[in-house]
Amino acid sequence: MSNLKNMTRKFLLGEWTQNASPASHLQGLKEVLQNMRPRTLSEKRRLEVAMGHLREIRRSHKRLEEKLHVLEEQVKLLEEQKGD
């Protein structure tokens, strides 16, 4: 539990490592949200909305990673064709 508190503190203060991948940041945020225990119905709804937003961000990130991979392959092919 202290690890979660430490991770949350670093996240809120912006002290997390800069070399971590966006996927690891999203995973950390997901863990923080999953470990939150809402006390009221409105807090529960806000948490559900935040989790929904996080899911959409993760999907968008995955699509961007796939597009990046395709574009890198295209650049590699163009460079090979240019070299010939």
Side-chain angles (χ1 to χ4, degrees):
M1 188 66 168
S2 65
N3 187 26
L4 178 62
K5 287 181 183 179
N6 188 26
M7 186 171 60
T8 304
R9 181 186 59 78
K10 285 183 178 184
F11 173 75
L12 292 175
L13 296 176
E15 296 176 351
W16 51 6
T17 59
Q18 295 299 323
N19 4 347
S21 70
S24 62
H25 289 302
L26 291 171
Q27 179 65 32
L29 184 57
K30 180 181 177 184
E31 290 174 6
V32 169
L33 291 174
Q34 285 177 335
N35 288 315
M36 293 180 76
R37 300 294 170 233
R39 295 187 184 124
T40 65
L41 188 57
S42 63
E43 286 179 355
K44 182 180 178 182
R45 289 181 185 143
R46 284 189 194 116
L47 187 57
E48 289 171 356
V49 168
M51 289 296 287
H53 290 314
L54 183 60
R55 276 190 299 275
E56 289 302 316
I57 291 169
R58 290 179 71 154
R59 286 182 189 139
S60 296
H61 177 260
K62 186 176 179 178
R63 282 191 296 266
L64 286 172
E65 287 288 325
E66 290 170 356
K67 285 181 183 180
L68 177 62
H69 180 70
V70 168
L71 289 172
E72 286 173 342
E73 289 295 320
Q74 289 176 351
V75 167
K76 185 177 176 181
L77 286 172
L78 289 172
E79 288 175 345
E80 288 174 359
Q81 288 175 354
K82 185 178 178 183
D84 292 339

